[in-house]
């Protein structure tokens, strides 16, 4: 892979150089230099944590505009399951789907329906795999986290496409078959809860090209849905999702839908890091499958959502229970698709090779020794006033030429004290022609 695409972007004019973001970034991908934040492209995983915590709204997500819909002759909305929890509890799933149709889409295919299919594919894969624990591939921020920080765990990632990709693939397949519309005229638009899924479409992992053509955030389409609620219904050509698929929008919903094995659900990016560290140390080998979601509460806690995540979690759970668990498809047909590798990723997942100190092993070892030596000379307070998230990150920045030792205020203070002492000593010295003390104050005697 060459170059990086990131949805998370910095508006330099709004940045005031505070250090809130550098402390909250889970991959230490932000620095503050010359009074402004900088995002290190090779470390950012687009989790959106910096968007949440920036008090100046200097971080934001780049996405497709609704104007992009005009590029397609037949437009299909792909609502994330978490979208259904953004409205009042008396608003039904069907009303939301109808409102999306009225908002300008020609059809609506639920990602929750694809999630039901993917749940079966995951269950079958777990049963036939000897790797433990397997790790979910549904959260793109977690996938990127593993690539840049835990590359040894890439083999644990289950090679099954995400529900978003399967939804786009199925929707295009059905529209082409039933309506005779060529694939090139069909546009699939994912309604996203987070910036990581924008990046997953623009720069996919484990697949050559995304089946999704555009990504619009939930907080952008939200107003259009509100305007069109209660304005009639339409006859869809697609089947509808049940409660298990809708439940994928919150933490634990994926495991509930899989319904097999000794599984673990973890949400929140820092909690995910803690669990991945334990997996890396071989501590969780008795777990079959780990569902990891970068956002607190799962997708309902995404940075591009509208509703409070705690309220949304309750709404989604109640909606799931109300919809029930009866599938609207034949499971045997899904198993045939599994045999035909319909759900498989098309390419390998590779680790990021740019997280180390140097691509050359000998130079990397040399730089690591210098890093450790530099770190010992720093105060170890991890105060962040240098613009790096902690002392170790500053030591790394110094070794890589991104910072100077005097960026540390404590080192700068020591240096100033030393210089002041030297100036004081010099001020007390006299040239030999003026020295009447016999050279006591003159080092040359």
């Amino acid at each position: 892979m060459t170059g990086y695409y990131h949805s998370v972007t910095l508006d330099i004019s709004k940045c005031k150089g505070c250090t809130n973001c550098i402390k909250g970034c889970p991959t230490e991908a932000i620095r503050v230099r010359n009074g402004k934040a900088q995002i290190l492209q090779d470390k950012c995983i687009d989790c959106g944590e910096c968007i949440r915590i920036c008090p100046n709204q200097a971080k934001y997500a780049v996405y497709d505009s609704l104007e992009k819909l005009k590029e397609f002759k037949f437009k299909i909305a792909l609502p994330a399951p978490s979208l259904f929890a953004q409205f009042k509890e008396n608003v039904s799933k069907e009303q939301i789907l109808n409102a999306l149709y009225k908002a300008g889409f020609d059809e609506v295919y639920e990602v929750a329906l694809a999630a039901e299919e993917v749940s079966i594919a995951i269950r079958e894969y777990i049963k036939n795999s000897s790797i433990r624990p397997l790790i979910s591939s549904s959260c793109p921020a977690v996938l990127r986290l593993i690539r840049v920080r835990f590359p040894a765990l890439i083999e644990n990632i289950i090679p099954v496409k995400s529900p978003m990709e399967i939804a786009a693939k199925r929707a295009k397949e059905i529209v082409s078959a039933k309506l005779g519309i060529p694939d090139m005229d069909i546009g699939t638009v994912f309604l996203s809860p987070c910036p990581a899924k924008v990046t997953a479409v623009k720069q996919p992992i484990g697949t050559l090209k995304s089946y999704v053509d555009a990504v619009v955030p939930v907080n952008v389409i939200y107003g259009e849905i509100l305007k069109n609620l209660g304005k009639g219904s339409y006859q869809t050509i697609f089947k509808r999702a049940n409660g298990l698929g809708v439940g994928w929008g919150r933490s634990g919903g994926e495991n509930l839908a899989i319904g097999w094995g000794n599984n673990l659900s973890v949400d929140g990016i820092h909690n995910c890091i803690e669990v991945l560290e334990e997996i890396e140390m071989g501590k969780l080998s008795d777990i079959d499958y780990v569902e990891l979601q970068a956002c607190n509460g799962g997708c309902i806690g995404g940075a591009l959502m509208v509703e409070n995540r705690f309220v949304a979690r309750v709404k989604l759970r109640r909606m799931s229970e109300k919809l029930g668990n009866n599938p609207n498809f034949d499971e045997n047909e899904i198993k045939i698709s599994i045999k035909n590798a319909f759900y498989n990723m098309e390419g390998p997942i590779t680790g990021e090779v740019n997280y180390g100190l140097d691509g050359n092993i000998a130079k990397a070892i040399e730089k690591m020794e210098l890093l450790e030596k530099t770190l010992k000379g720093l105060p170890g307070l991890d105060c962040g006033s240098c613009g790096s998230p902690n002392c170790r990150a500053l030591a790394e920045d110094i070794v890589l030429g991104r910072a100077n030792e005097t960026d540390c205020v404590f080192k700068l203070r020591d240096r100033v004290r030393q210089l002041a002492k030297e100036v004081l000593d010099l001020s007390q010295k006299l040239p030999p022609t003026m020295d009447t003390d016999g050279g006591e104050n003159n080092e040359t005697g």
Side-chain angles (χ1 to χ4, degrees):
M1 183 184 295
T2 58
Y4 301 93
Y5 174 89
H6 289 292
S7 172
V8 174
T9 306
L10 172 69
D11 183 344
I12 201 80
S13 66
K14 291 184 178 178
C15 179
K16 295 185 178 178
C18 72
T19 55
N20 289 324
C21 55
I22 66 171
K23 286 293 184 182
C25 178
T27 57
E28 300 178 354
I30 304 177
R31 302 290 187 271
V32 175
R33 299 282 184 262
N34 301 317
K36 299 290 183 183
Q38 299 173 1
I39 300 176
L40 303 181
Q41 299 295 303
D42 59 335
K43 292 191 174 186
C44 176
I45 60 171
D46 290 288
C47 63
E49 280 293 302
C50 57
I51 294 177
R52 289 191 187 88
I53 60 179
C54 180
N56 305 305
Q57 289 78 52
K59 317 292 190 310
Y60 64 98
V62 174
Y63 48 82
D64 296 306
S65 75
L66 290 173
E67 288 296 306
K68 191 172 177 66
L69 297 180
K70 296 176 181 176
E71 297 178 14
F72 309 108
K73 292 180 180 176
F74 193 91
K75 301 169 281 293
I76 307 173
L78 306 173
S82 51
L83 172 73
F84 303 123
Q86 305 304 301
F87 304 89
K88 291 186 181 300
E89 200 155 343
N90 61 355
V91 177
S92 70
K93 180 162 71 73
E94 283 304 317
Q95 286 176 304
I96 296 167
L97 299 177
N98 289 333
L100 280 171
Y101 176 78
K102 292 291 181 183
F105 291 97
D106 299 296
E107 257 297 358
V108 184
Y109 191 96
E110 294 179 66
V111 174
L113 183 62
E116 291 179 51
E117 290 190 41
V118 171
S119 301
I120 298 169
I122 291 173
R123 186 194 309 153
E124 295 304 311
Y125 192 93
I126 297 171
K127 288 178 180 177
N128 294 304
S129 174
S130 60
I131 297 174
R132 292 293 185 272
L134 286 164
I135 299 173
S136 170
S137 61
S138 63
C139 177
V142 170
L143 281 190
R144 289 180 188 273
L145 173 67
I146 293 173
R147 291 182 76 208
V148 302
R149 189 160 170 178
F150 302 96
L153 299 182
I154 285 177
E155 68 171 15
N156 293 65
I157 298 172
I158 194 163
V160 174
K161 285 178 183 288
S162 70
M164 175 183 73
E165 286 296 329
I166 295 300
K169 192 175 178 181
R170 277 284 188 223
K172 287 184 173 182
E173 184 182 82
I174 294 170
V175 167
S176 288
K178 290 192 173 183
L179 304 181
I181 299 174
D183 193 77
M184 61 181 293
D185 289 335
I186 304 170
T188 49
V189 183
F190 179 65
L191 309 181
S192 179
C194 68
K197 287 190 169 66
V198 181
T199 302
V201 169
K202 305 299 181 186
Q203 197 169 54
I205 295 175
T207 188
L208 300 176
K209 182 181 179 302
S210 175
Y211 288 89
V212 179
D213 297 296
V215 183
V216 174
V218 166
N219 58 11
V220 170
I221 197 72
Y222 181 75
E224 290 298 313
I225 299 174
L226 274 183
K227 279 195 305 187
N228 289 287
L229 280 174
K231 292 186 177 178
S233 60
Y234 79 105
Q235 187 63 45
T236 180
I237 62 171
F238 299 133
K239 294 175 181 175
R240 290 310 189 201
N242 69 14
L244 286 177
V246 170
W248 266 66
R250 62 185 176 93
S251 177
E254 179 181 346
N255 279 341
L256 187 65
I258 293 168
W260 187 92
N262 181 24
N263 301 345
L264 185 68
S265 300
V266 182
D267 61 279
I269 190 68
H270 295 287
N271 295 329
C272 290
I273 290 171
E274 183 181 337
V275 168
L276 287 168
E277 286 174 344
E278 294 206 6
I279 296 173
E280 199 170 45
M281 291 186 285
K283 289 186 175 179
L284 300 179
S285 57
D286 57 334
I287 302 292
D288 292 315
Y289 186 70
V290 183
E291 172 196 331
L292 296 174
Q293 301 212 36
C295 296
N296 288 317
C299 291
I300 52 170
L304 306 179
M305 301 302 269
V306 178
E307 182 61 281
N308 175 289
R309 69 173 183 273
F310 299 106
V311 176
R313 182 181 179 85
V314 173
K315 288 181 185 175
L316 204 65
R317 178 176 58 77
R318 288 176 177 165
M319 180 180 282
S320 299
E321 290 171 354
K322 192 174 181 181
L323 289 169
N325 299 338
N326 293 326
N328 290 318
F329 51 76
D330 184 352
E331 188 166 325
N332 291 323
E333 291 181 6
I334 305 303
K335 289 183 178 177
I336 292 172
S337 293
I338 292 172
K339 286 182 180 176
N340 293 332
F342 182 83
Y343 305 98
N344 293 9
M345 290 184 179
E346 292 150 355
I349 298 175
T350 56
E352 298 280 4
V353 295
N354 44 21
Y355 201 64
L357 296 170
D358 200 295
N360 181 291
I361 294 177
K363 288 183 178 178
I365 293 172
E366 190 178 311
K367 288 181 178 177
M368 178 57 74
E369 291 173 350
L370 181 58
L371 187 156
E372 296 297 337
K373 183 181 177 183
T374 304
L375 181 60
K376 287 179 181 175
L378 296 175
L381 297 176
D382 297 336
C383 65
S385 58
C386 61
S388 299
N390 50 55
C391 290
R392 187 172 191 84
L394 175 60
E396 181 182 309
D397 289 344
I398 293 170
V399 170
L400 293 177
R402 296 194 294 239
N404 299 306
E405 192 176 71
T406 49
D407 289 344
C408 170
V409 292
F410 299 98
K411 298 293 288 187
L412 179 63
R413 184 186 61 184
D414 291 345
R415 180 65 178 144
V416 169
R417 279 178 178 168
Q418 183 184 353
L419 287 172
K421 184 175 182 303
E422 289 176 4
V423 170
L424 179 62
D425 289 345
L426 286 171
S427 71
Q428 293 172 345
K429 295 182 185 303
L430 293 172
T433 55
M434 299 175 64
D435 185 2
T436 59
D437 294 335
E440 290 182 5
N441 295 323
N442 193 323
E443 63 184 7
T444 59

